[in-house]
Amino acid sequence: MPLLITALGVLLLLLLIMKFKINTLISLSIVSFALAIALGIPIPDIVVAIEDGLGGTLASVGLIFGFGAILGKLIADAGGAQRISTTLIAAFGEKRIQWAVVLTAFMLGIALFFEVGLVLLIPIVYQISKQVNISFLYLGLPMVTALSVTHAFLPPHPGPTVIAGEYGADIGMVLIYGFIISIPTVLIAGPLFTKYAQKFVPSAFKKQNNSSMAALGDAKPMPLEETPGFFKSSITALFPVLLMGFATIVNFLQEATNLPSNLLFEIIAFIGTPTATMFLSLLFALYTMGISQNRTMTQLMESAESSVKAIAMILLILGMSGALKEVLIVGGVGDYVATLFIGSALSPIILAWLIAALMRIAQGSATVAALTTAGLVIPLMEGADVNLALMVLATGAGSVIASHVNDTGFWIIKESFGLTMKETFATWTVLETLISVCGLMFVLLLSVFV
């Protein structure tokens, strides 16, 4: 019954947005309240669940998107994005520019959270698409593929790191095996899939780049000699990577050497949190892309204000999608899915992937799906001869499948690229499913040898 109610809720949401053309934020609000009632959440708790979901989502991504949007706009308005894109085009050539974007996104994605990498790269990718006259989505899909794959499979991202701890797997082996399966998965779900997606949903690739997120990278072309140098532009864009990468390395060394925590380690850990990283990077950009470029504070604040206005609706939509996810969790949809696999005799690797996949489809959150799966699968692993690192990767693969309306990531991609619901399903949802299935296939292949 909970799964049927959820399916009807998703259908209602699609009808409101696609058939009746109701604003996405209002549609999400209607469905969140309707599902809360249908799932039997006590009336006094309905508003609490919705507020908790909205607040929790905005708490985790609100400032990241806000600071990231300002950072991206500062880089674009100063000419930094133009300098970076011009240099990459000259280095790789127009015919291979998609590979340059994939490589850049994969390298950044190792250290950065998905949302952070997205807000940093979109202005640069937008500039590249304008200069070489290529579809924004043609470059954007491989970019988000690389970010999603690293987020799902590679420590120090929260999912694989926490699951490794739950399973007792060696984090180093998770990283090594994660790299082995990530590279072919990115190639298949990224550049290869994009070629086929162009044939199935050509309208998505012919759009004018008028989404609010793309607008962050829209700036008047400048004479190249007036733009910041490539090193200055790159170091500004990469500053979050440097901060988070440094904090991650220090954290690993501290754990490896069993050094006690002290004020220095606490400060470094603070710097490495996504919100603090983006804030410090924003302050750095105010100097490198502003003061040192002889831009006035008035000009800088105009860039900041315009960027925040551009993403205001996106933030509210993301918050309400978090409310929908919270309603499904409080309503017990995930708990119901968990009971379906009690006593199963499937292979632990396949079982971990399958439970995580169904949890993801039912309630939306990849992290919740992964952690719930770990709790269910651990008792079933007793006495089984299974590689724990591969179990981590199988769980991570299952947890990213079929992103749809109950997943915040679905709305991030839809709004970032200005897609319709149909186009988002045909590109992002299929892409995430490819990542999940390829991840499982490569894990099973690795299990034959290790």
Side-chain angles (χ1 to χ4, degrees):
M1 200 63 183
L3 294 181
L4 177 60
I5 291 171
T6 301
L8 290 174
V10 171
L11 180 61
L12 174 61
L13 181 62
L14 296 178
L15 286 173
L16 291 175
I17 295 174
M18 300 174 71
K19 176 71 174 176
F20 298 106
K21 309 299 181 184
I22 296 176
N23 175 272
T24 301
L25 175 64
I26 297 174
S27 298
L28 280 168
S29 303
I30 293 171
V31 172
S32 296
F33 278 98
L35 273 175
I37 295 170
L39 289 170
I41 298 177
I43 291 177
D45 297 337
I46 290 176
V47 172
V48 174
I50 288 174
E51 289 179 346
D52 285 348
L54 186 145
T57 300
L58 291 183
S60 62
V61 303
L63 287 177
I64 292 173
F65 263 76
F67 292 149
I70 298 172
L71 174 62
K73 189 62 173 171
L74 289 174
I75 295 173
D77 286 352
Q82 179 184 336
R83 170 72 76 166
I84 293 172
S85 60
T86 301
T87 306
L88 287 176
I89 292 167
F92 283 84
E94 293 186 13
K95 292 183 179 180
R96 294 184 294 273
I97 194 61
Q98 190 185 62
W99 294 101
V101 170
V102 171
L103 181 62
T104 302
F106 188 82
M107 292 173 64
L108 291 178
I110 294 171
L112 296 182
F113 280 49
F114 178 82
E115 296 85 358
V116 177
L118 195 67
V119 293
L120 281 180
L121 284 172
I122 277 183
I124 296 171
V125 172
Y126 178 75
Q127 278 287 332
I128 293 174
S129 71
K130 282 181 62 177
Q131 290 190 36
V132 298
N133 196 27
I134 290 178
S135 164
F136 181 36
L137 190 63
Y138 179 78
L139 298 179
L141 277 185
M143 175 192 76
V144 296
T145 301
L147 293 175
S148 182
V149 167
T150 54
H151 186 74
F153 297 135
L154 299 182
H157 287 280
T161 303
V162 174
I163 302 168
E166 292 287 324
Y167 287 157
D170 185 310
I171 196 76
M173 296 310 298
V174 173
L175 185 61
I176 292 171
Y177 294 154
F179 268 114
I180 293 173
I181 72 170
S182 291
I183 294 172
T185 299
V186 167
L187 297 180
I188 293 171
L192 184 60
F193 168 67
T194 300
K195 290 183 178 180
Y196 287 97
Q198 280 185 298
K199 299 177 181 179
F200 294 118
V201 277
S203 60
F205 292 85
K206 295 177 181 177
K207 286 180 175 292
Q208 295 294 321
N209 300 329
N210 57 1
S211 75
S212 54
M213 287 291 286
L216 297 176
D218 200 8
K220 294 180 180 179
M222 302 169 61
L224 199 60
E225 61 272 12
E226 294 181 12
T227 64
F230 178 72
F231 177 77
K232 183 194 282 189
S233 302
S234 299
I235 205 71
T236 303
L238 292 173
F239 201 66
V241 182
L242 299 177
L243 290 181
M244 295 184 79
F246 173 70
T248 300
I249 292 170
V250 171
N251 180 58
F252 274 130
L253 291 176
Q254 182 191 1
E255 292 181 355
T257 55
N258 293 318
L259 289 174
S261 182
N262 55 40
L263 181 60
L264 177 61
F265 286 129
E266 290 174 358
I267 291 173
I268 292 173
F270 163 76
I271 290 173
T273 59
T275 300
T277 290
M278 295 308 294
F279 176 61
L280 294 172
S281 300
L282 168 58
L283 296 180
F284 182 67
L286 285 173
Y287 174 76
T288 58
M289 297 290 109
I291 296 171
S292 70
Q293 291 298 117
N294 297 317
R295 298 184 70 207
T296 66
M297 192 56 65
T298 300
Q299 291 175 316
L300 296 178
M301 293 306 102
E302 285 176 355
S303 294
E305 289 176 15
S306 65
S307 65
V308 174
K309 288 177 183 177
I311 65 166
M313 181 56 77
I314 292 180
L315 289 178
L316 286 174
I317 290 172
L318 295 184
M320 209 61 219
S321 72
L324 174 61
K325 176 186 68 180
E326 185 69 15
V327 163
L328 295 175
I329 293 171
V330 174
V333 175
D335 295 336
Y336 177 77
V337 173
T339 63
L340 299 177
F341 293 93
I342 295 175
S344 174
L346 286 172
S347 157
I349 287 178
I350 295 177
L351 188 63
W353 180 85
L354 187 58
I355 294 175
L358 288 178
M359 284 288 187
R360 157 74 155 185
I361 294 169
Q363 52 74 42
S365 170
T367 302
V368 172
L371 294 180
T372 306
T373 300
L376 293 171
V377 172
I378 287 172
L380 303 176
M381 289 165 50
E382 295 179 5
D385 183 19
V386 61
N387 187 297
L388 296 178
L390 295 183
M391 284 291 293
V392 172
L393 297 173
T395 305
S399 72
V400 299
I401 198 171
S403 169
H404 65 97
V405 297
N406 59 6
D407 174 31
T408 304
F410 178 90
W411 300 104
I412 292 175
I413 299 302
K414 178 183 180 299
E415 299 300 321
S416 295
F417 294 99
L419 303 175
T420 65
M421 294 289 287
K422 178 182 177 182
E423 290 165 349
T424 312
F425 278 117
T427 53
W428 171 248
T429 304
V430 175
L431 184 155
E432 286 282 87
T433 303
L434 269 176
I435 291 174
S436 180
V437 173
C438 287
L440 174 63
M441 289 173 54
F442 291 124
V443 165
L444 291 174
L445 186 61
L446 265 179
S447 69
V448 175
F449 302 98
V450 299

